[in-house]
Amino acid sequence: SPDDLGNARVLVPAAELQVGDYVLVPTGGEEAPVPWLPLPMPQAGYEKQARTITFTECDELYRLLGYFAAEGHTAGRNGSWHNAVLSFGAHEEHTWVADAVCCCEAAFGFTPSVKVGCPHPTSTQVHMRSTIVAQFMRRWISGLQPVRELASALMQAPVRGQREILRGWLRGDGGVSLGSRNRFKLTGTTTSPMLARQMFTLALRAGLRPSYKTRTSKGSRAVHDVYFASEDAALLGWTVPARKFCSTRRIVQGHILLRVRAVSAVPYE
C-alpha cells in the first residue's frame, strides 16, 4: 500500500543508489511572502513616469514573470534600462501576446505597446517602456541564457503564483508533441540548467509530476527539458486529446515515487 511504501523509506548516500531502486521526491513546501516592495526608483529623466505606475500582486504578475523568464530581455544603454521586452512568434499575437498585455495592465496599470513583425516578420514583441518595470524584471529574473534564473525569494512564493510562473514559462519556451500510442507531452526547454531545475521544483511544489532530462543539441550545447504528460498538461491549461489519464507516477505521503533508470556521475561544486 502507499503507506507501507512511505513507512519503508530510508535515507542513503547518493553513491549507494542503484538502477532499479525507488526514490521519493518531495512535493509542496513552505511558503513565504515575496518582498516585492519597494519598487525600483525611476532613473534620471523618467521621474514623471513614476506617477503612472501602480503595482498589484496577482496571478497576472506571476505569469508575466514566467513570460519574461522565457521570452524577455531589457533594453537600454550605458547601464540605464528603460524597456522590458517580450519576444513571441508572430502566430502568437492573439494568444500569448494578448495575454502578456493583459498581465502588464493588471500588474502595473498601463498598456504596453505591441510591435508586429519586429524585429523580423516571424516575431511579435511586447514593449513595456518603463524604467521601473525594466529594473523590476531584472531584479526578479536575472541573467540571459544560459545563466538565467529566478530570484531565490520566488522559490518560496505562494504555490498558486508559482504555478503561474511555470505556466508563463511553458507558453514561451514550451511546445507540445504526440509520441507513440498518441501520448501527449508538454515540454519546456532552456539552455540554463539553473532555470530548468527551478521550473522542475516549481512543478513539484504545485503537486505536478514533471520529468527532467539533459540532452545535446546541434553545436554540442547542453539543453535541459522539463516535460509533463497529458494529465499535468491539462491541469496547466493545455487542451489534450480525449483519453483516459493513467499516470505511472504515484504520490506517496506527499512524495512522487520514481524508479532509478540510470546512474551517472556529475561534477559538483
Side-chain angles (χ1 to χ4, degrees):
S1 69
D3 285 338
D4 290 337
L5 288 171
N7 295 333
R9 65 186 178 183
V10 294
L11 295 175
V12 299
E16 295 182 10
L17 286 176
Q18 298 179 5
V19 173
D21 287 346
Y22 286 88
V23 293
L24 289 166
V25 181
T27 63
E30 295 183 355
E31 299 182 9
V34 180
W36 302 112
L37 302 175
L39 292 178
M41 293 294 294
Q43 294 175 338
Y46 294 88
E47 291 82 357
K48 181 179 179 180
Q49 181 191 60
R51 294 195 294 268
T52 67
I53 299 295
T54 61
F55 176 78
T56 303
E57 181 179 9
C58 53
D59 288 352
E60 290 83 0
L61 171 66
Y62 286 102
R63 195 159 66 252
L64 186 64
L65 288 169
Y67 283 135
F68 191 84
E71 306 285 23
H73 71 275
T74 51
R77 62 180 61 182
N78 300 324
S80 176
W81 310 103
H82 56 78
N83 189 12
V85 183
L86 303 175
S87 299
F88 296 91
H91 63 286
E92 297 171 322
E93 179 183 354
H94 301 294
T95 53
W96 310 150
V97 170
D99 184 57
V101 170
C102 292
C103 287
C104 182
E105 292 172 340
F108 296 107
F110 71 93
T111 301
S113 60
V114 175
K115 295 186 177 296
V116 179
C118 177
H120 46 75
T122 62
S123 65
T124 296
Q125 290 187 332
V126 177
H127 288 249
M128 297 174 281
R129 299 187 184 279
S130 163
T131 63
I132 295 174
V133 173
Q135 292 179 81
F136 180 91
M137 291 298 173
R138 290 176 65 84
R139 173 192 294 177
W140 295 105
I141 312 289
S142 63
L144 296 172
Q145 302 290 0
V147 294
R148 171 147 288 190
E149 64 181 282
L150 307 179
S152 59
L154 293 177
M155 300 309 296
Q156 283 190 300
V159 170
R160 175 171 175 167
Q162 291 181 331
R163 183 186 289 260
E164 292 301 319
I165 293 176
L166 179 63
R167 181 178 284 122
W169 176 70
L170 286 168
R171 289 179 175 183
D173 273 350
V176 297
S177 61
L178 286 176
S180 60
R181 291 185 291 175
N182 201 34
R183 288 181 175 175
F184 182 95
K185 184 168 73 172
L186 169 65
T187 304
T189 300
T190 176
T191 58
S192 169
M194 174 61 77
L195 186 62
R197 290 195 294 268
Q198 289 179 322
M199 293 300 173
F200 183 85
T201 300
L202 297 191
L204 290 175
R205 284 173 57 84
L208 303 174
R209 305 173 187 183
S211 297
Y212 182 98
K213 70 177 180 182
T214 299
R215 54 188 171 86
T216 302
S217 67
K218 295 180 180 179
S220 299
R221 174 185 293 183
V223 175
H224 308 273
D225 294 332
V226 180
Y227 56 97
F228 305 84
S230 54
E231 185 174 4
D232 284 348
L235 291 174
L236 288 167
W238 268 260
T239 301
V240 303
R243 61 187 295 269
K244 182 180 179 180
F245 295 136
C246 52
S247 175
T248 60
R249 297 191 164 198
R250 301 174 64 181
I251 302 293
V252 177
Q253 295 183 356
H255 293 67
I256 294 178
L257 183 67
L258 301 176
R259 193 171 191 181
V260 178
R261 302 293 184 184
V263 177
S264 58
V266 179
Y268 177 75
E269 295 181 1

